[in-house]
Amino acid sequence: MAKPKVHYECTQCGYRSSKWLGRCSDCSEWNTFVESREEPAVDARSPRAISKRVPGGATGKPIPITQMTDEDVAKRWDTGIGEFDRILGGGLVPGSVTLVGGSPGVGKSTLLLQVALSLSSQGRRVLYASGEESTGQVRDRAHRLGKPNDRLLLQAETDLKRILQAADEVQPQVLVVDSVQTTFAPELGGTPGNVSQVREVAARLVLYAKATGRAVLLVGHVTKGGQLAGPKTLEHVVDTVIYFEGDANPPYRVLRGVKNRFGATGELGLFEMTGEGLREVSEPSAALLQDRPSDRPGTVVTSCVEGSRTLLLEIQALVAPGFPGSTRRTALGVDGGRLAMLVAVLGKTDYVLHDKDVFVNVVGGVRVSETSADLAVAAAITSSLLERPVAPEWLVLGEVGLTGELRSVPRLDQRLNEALRHGFKRALIPRPPERWKSPRGMKCEAAGSLEEAMETLF
Ligand code: TYD
Ligand code: MG
């Protein structure tokens, strides 16, 4: 066999180079290069062999869309864990690979073991291969989480070949591999978890899933920066990517779909870590608002649309004296660039913050990516600056533009109705279209600019 060729690869962006580089010439990150080996062709029989048995009859032959039957469309398997199924788009798709990422201790193994227990109790055979814990440890945990039965098989193994051999023997419908970083293919050399190992393990599991029509659930660790540890390409080869957001500290665990070949992305699920594993939170808005100190300055509630769900979120801000020239802007759960922009826009009005430290946090460990939360962030900052609370019945919505203008938000009614359901009676919103009517029971005040909005609130 030819000697595998060595090259170096950036763990951030996947850029390859024949020499080791201190700084990636593509993404400019420092110290990200690791040795990587040219892997032998993954599997000589690959594409054809796979396509023959992909569920949905992928024979490689073009077929008219009108002649396809329901048989050609992959069915889904309910995992029995509602929040997880919703993020998947309605259950596990046979023949798919789902990557569940998150920081250590956040609950990846717990979730997948619960999924495995639930699937096996519905009569499906599941193989749970762990490279991180012994079968004894997994068994103990399984007893804590549910009632195990003999359709759930455990294997403590790091060698991918042996995992796939075991899968060939026991023929599970679902294979769980915990984790992609500890599983390795010894013939490739290098240490488990390095770029080429991770890529190869994922690629072989994808082949396995497609060739057998079984579902694979794969655990992946993320680095401090929230990136998946391993090559960026990992996300591209799998069908679905789900992340636990944040770290293991907050009481709630937020699970979000970031890629889904079989459904919508952006779906969010909320879990609580309890003594009996992860519990689904059925009323997330109520749960996230329950400890809100509504009589204090610096807290404002907004409404966000996350996938098919509308969530009420508490935005908190703290403004403290800082040293001019080296003030701090700390954003947890909101984008740092967005926060800097809002501080600058506020600075153009009466709310000067150049000598203040500003901290913003979204309660519950949820990340907000919607710009509709801008006005709530600005209001929370102003509330803390003025040391005047925002009355608790207010819901605040709106995108803030660079000139301080307020811009409309999509799905306004959906957001207002969720707030109404939780007892909010007043809403501050950007100017709505003509003839728009506010929902019954809610008084809406429209503002055209940030200044106008702050005058209404304070
Ligand atoms: P784990 O699923 O092992 O995390 P990961 O696989 O993402 O690294 O979760 C570990 C944490 O969860 C650990 O700190 C203990 C806690 N935990 C509970 O609080 N209750 C439980 O029932 C279980 C199984 C774990
Ligand atoms: Mg684990």
Side-chain angles (χ1 to χ4, degrees):
M1 205 175 85
K3 227 171 118 193
K5 242 175 140 177
V6 173
H7 65 264
Y8 297 85
E9 191 165 321
C10 171
T11 50
Q12 284 291 320
C13 68
Y15 179 77
R16 286 178 179 209
S17 155
S18 56
K19 286 193 302 249
W20 187 86
L21 301 174
R23 187 185 195 193
C24 177
S25 41
D26 199 30
C27 69
S28 310
E29 279 295 320
W30 288 95
N31 259 332
T32 52
F33 272 77
V34 294
E35 189 180 303
S36 175
R37 281 161 204 268
E38 204 65 69
E39 59 267 23
V42 173
D43 194 271
R45 57 188 166 94
S46 44
R48 269 189 182 282
I50 303 165
S51 64
K52 266 208 289 208
R53 283 154 69 193
V54 171
T59 53
K61 255 187 12 211
I63 105 165
I65 190 167
T66 48
Q67 282 176 24
M68 288 175 70
T69 61
D70 287 349
E71 300 282 286
D72 295 321
V73 181
K75 299 253 175 335
R76 288 172 184 273
W77 300 334
D78 258 1
T79 64
I81 297 183
E83 293 285 276
F84 189 60
D85 284 340
R86 211 164 41 77
I87 297 168
L88 290 173
L92 265 184
V93 176
S96 72
V97 179
T98 303
L99 180 70
V100 177
S103 48
V106 78
K108 302 179 293 296
S109 308
T110 307
L111 176 71
L112 292 190
L113 192 55
Q114 282 178 260
V115 168
L117 282 163
S118 172
L119 284 165
S120 64
S121 71
Q122 294 172 44
R124 299 199 189 281
R125 192 186 282 263
V126 183
L127 174 61
Y128 187 106
S130 176
E132 311 215 329
E133 286 141 318
S134 67
T135 46
Q137 281 171 308
V138 181
R139 174 188 165 275
D140 282 351
R141 181 182 292 187
H143 276 280
R144 200 139 43 88
L145 298 175
K147 215 163 156 276
N149 63 62
D150 54 14
R151 282 177 297 274
L152 173 57
L153 297 126
L154 303 182
Q155 183 188 21
E157 184 56 71
T158 52
D159 186 339
L160 181 66
K161 212 191 273 157
R162 287 206 221 128
I163 294 174
L164 292 178
Q165 265 167 11
D168 264 348
E169 276 163 34
V170 303
Q171 302 276 326
Q173 281 161 294
V174 180
L175 170 65
V176 181
V177 177
D178 186 358
S179 63
V180 66
Q181 280 88 11
T182 50
T183 305
F184 81 120
E187 64 277 17
L188 282 185
T191 48
N194 83 14
V195 178
S196 45
Q197 282 286 353
V198 168
R199 182 179 31 223
E200 187 62 12
V201 167
R204 289 188 192 182
L205 286 169
V206 170
L207 284 181
Y208 168 80
K210 305 292 171 202
T212 57
R214 299 191 185 127
V216 175
L217 290 164
L218 190 57
V219 170
H221 295 289
V222 299
T223 59
K224 268 210 186 108
Q227 300 266 347
L228 204 70
K232 209 59 197 130
T233 46
L234 188 53
E235 285 188 8
H236 301 309
V237 299
V238 299
D239 299 301
T240 306
V241 182
I242 293 174
Y243 278 116
F244 274 102
E245 281 183 355
D247 52 30
N249 293 325
Y252 297 110
R253 306 291 156 97
V254 181
L255 201 59
R256 194 189 294 268
V258 295
K259 168 183 175 179
N260 194 346
R261 284 194 180 137
F262 314 107
T265 52
E267 281 294 345
L268 178 145
L270 201 66
F271 291 90
E272 190 178 3
M273 185 58 98
T274 69
E276 286 92 45
L278 290 162
R279 198 169 54 82
E280 297 172 55
V281 177
S282 51
E283 267 290 357
S285 294
L288 290 168
L289 294 184
Q290 66 181 356
D291 298 323
R292 183 174 171 225
S294 48
D295 53 345
R296 305 247 184 93
T299 147
V300 173
V301 174
T302 190
S303 178
C304 283
V305 177
E306 302 286 349
S308 60
R309 172 174 270 167
T310 318
L311 265 188
L312 297 184
L313 293 174
E314 179 188 347
I315 313 265
Q316 291 195 336
L318 177 68
V319 176
F323 295 104
S326 62
T327 47
R328 295 181 65 180
R329 311 277 178 246
T330 306
L332 296 167
V334 293
D335 180 61
R338 205 81 204 159
L339 172 61
M341 182 204 96
L342 289 170
V343 167
V345 176
L346 278 170
K348 287 272 184 191
T349 61
D350 295 339
Y351 312 106
V352 177
L353 295 154
H354 68 84
D355 55 351
K356 302 278 194 291
D357 288 342
V358 179
F359 305 88
V360 172
N361 178 37
V362 182
V363 175
V366 184
R367 268 204 77 79
V368 178
S369 48
E370 281 196 302
T371 50
S372 66
D374 286 353
L375 187 58
V377 174
I381 294 172
T382 312
S383 166
S384 177
L385 177 73
L386 301 176
E387 296 193 12
R388 287 171 58 183
V390 172
E393 73 267 20
W394 277 109
L395 176 85
V396 177
L397 281 176
E399 177 181 337
V400 177
L402 283 180
T403 65
E405 85 278 16
L406 288 194
R407 298 171 155 265
S408 59
V409 298
R411 304 199 219 175
L412 182 61
D413 292 286
Q414 192 179 326
R415 297 173 202 259
L416 293 175
N417 283 320
E418 174 73 3
L420 199 55
R421 222 160 59 76
H422 288 88
F424 287 80
K425 296 278 188 301
R426 300 181 80 185
L428 180 60
I429 58 172
R431 294 231 163 87
E434 257 178 69
R435 289 212 292 273
W436 175 85
K437 278 213 186 85
S438 55
R440 267 212 356 212
M442 180 164 270
K443 196 163 168 271
C444 293
E445 303 263 358
S449 69
L450 190 58
E451 264 173 309
E452 239 182 278
M454 294 307 128
E455 271 163 31
T456 309
L457 284 178
F458 303 104

